[in-house]
Amino acid sequence: MNDIIFGELTYNGEWTKTEHLNLWGKDIDIKIIVSAYENEKPNISQQNAYQKLMTKSDEISKVTLEKLKEYMQENSYDICAYANVDKIPDDVFELVAVTEILFMESGSFGIMCNAKWDSRGIAILCKENDVEVGPQDIVWLEE
């Protein structure tokens, strides 16, 4: 499907494409996922959220990185123990790898990550006026 905002999307159980973004100071290719059934197109809330990410990526990158670092500091004891490190590194990419960004029907989106200390991964949930970091469950509960 060629969506007017997302561009070319492929359906294989979910609508996806790959996007090249600068996130947290690093250029990376990220899988974009749009939560919709095969016979559905992305809704206006998803399109608006995607446009917000594309036009305000520097600001979103800065805020989500700050929230991620806060979360890692608040949970440093457990993270260090499970990741087998002495301290939280300055470069979050040593412990976290972005895997995909999921755009939910509500217009919220989740930056989904693998984490060396959590086998199920973590997520940064971006709502209209709030950013929350936690286990990936925070995104699935929002969905």
Side-chain angles (χ1 to χ4, degrees):
M1 159 189 12
N2 192 358
D3 182 73
I4 193 165
I5 302 299
F6 281 94
E8 191 63 36
L9 294 168
T10 304
Y11 191 84
N12 188 12
E14 56 198 8
W15 289 108
T16 66
K17 74 177 203 169
T18 300
E19 189 75 55
H20 187 78
L21 292 173
N22 185 297
L23 189 64
W24 308 336
K26 193 176 222 179
D27 287 323
I28 51 179
D29 290 325
I30 301 174
K31 182 179 181 181
I32 301 294
I33 300 173
V34 181
S35 180
Y37 293 108
E38 187 173 10
N39 60 346
E40 294 177 333
K41 293 183 176 192
N43 68 32
I44 191 78
S45 297
Q46 291 166 317
Q47 291 172 333
N48 289 343
Y50 178 76
Q51 284 182 311
K52 179 180 177 181
L53 175 65
M54 293 293 105
T55 59
K56 297 184 177 187
S57 62
D58 289 345
E59 179 183 328
I60 290 169
S61 180
K62 181 180 176 200
V63 169
T64 56
L65 179 60
E66 286 173 10
K67 291 288 189 177
L68 177 59
K69 285 183 174 184
E70 284 174 19
Y71 175 83
M72 291 172 74
Q73 285 303 322
E74 289 169 4
N75 296 282
S76 63
Y77 181 79
D78 289 336
I79 291 171
C80 290
Y82 286 107
N84 198 24
V85 295
D86 295 328
K87 66 181 183 91
I88 301 295
D90 291 332
D91 182 1
V92 296
F93 284 105
E94 290 182 31
L95 298 178
V96 176
V98 179
T99 57
E100 56 202 28
I101 300 177
L102 172 65
F103 289 87
M104 294 166 276
E105 291 181 14
S106 65
S108 297
F109 61 92
I111 302 171
M112 313 300 277
C113 305
N114 288 337
K116 287 194 176 176
W117 69 89
D118 187 332
S119 61
R120 292 173 293 144
I122 63 163
I124 298 99
L125 177 61
C126 301
K127 300 180 183 181
E128 182 67 32
N129 295 311
D130 189 31
V131 174
E132 182 181 342
V133 180
Q136 287 192 2
D137 295 350
I138 63 172
V139 170
W140 305 125
L141 292 171
E142 178 77 12
E143 178 74 346

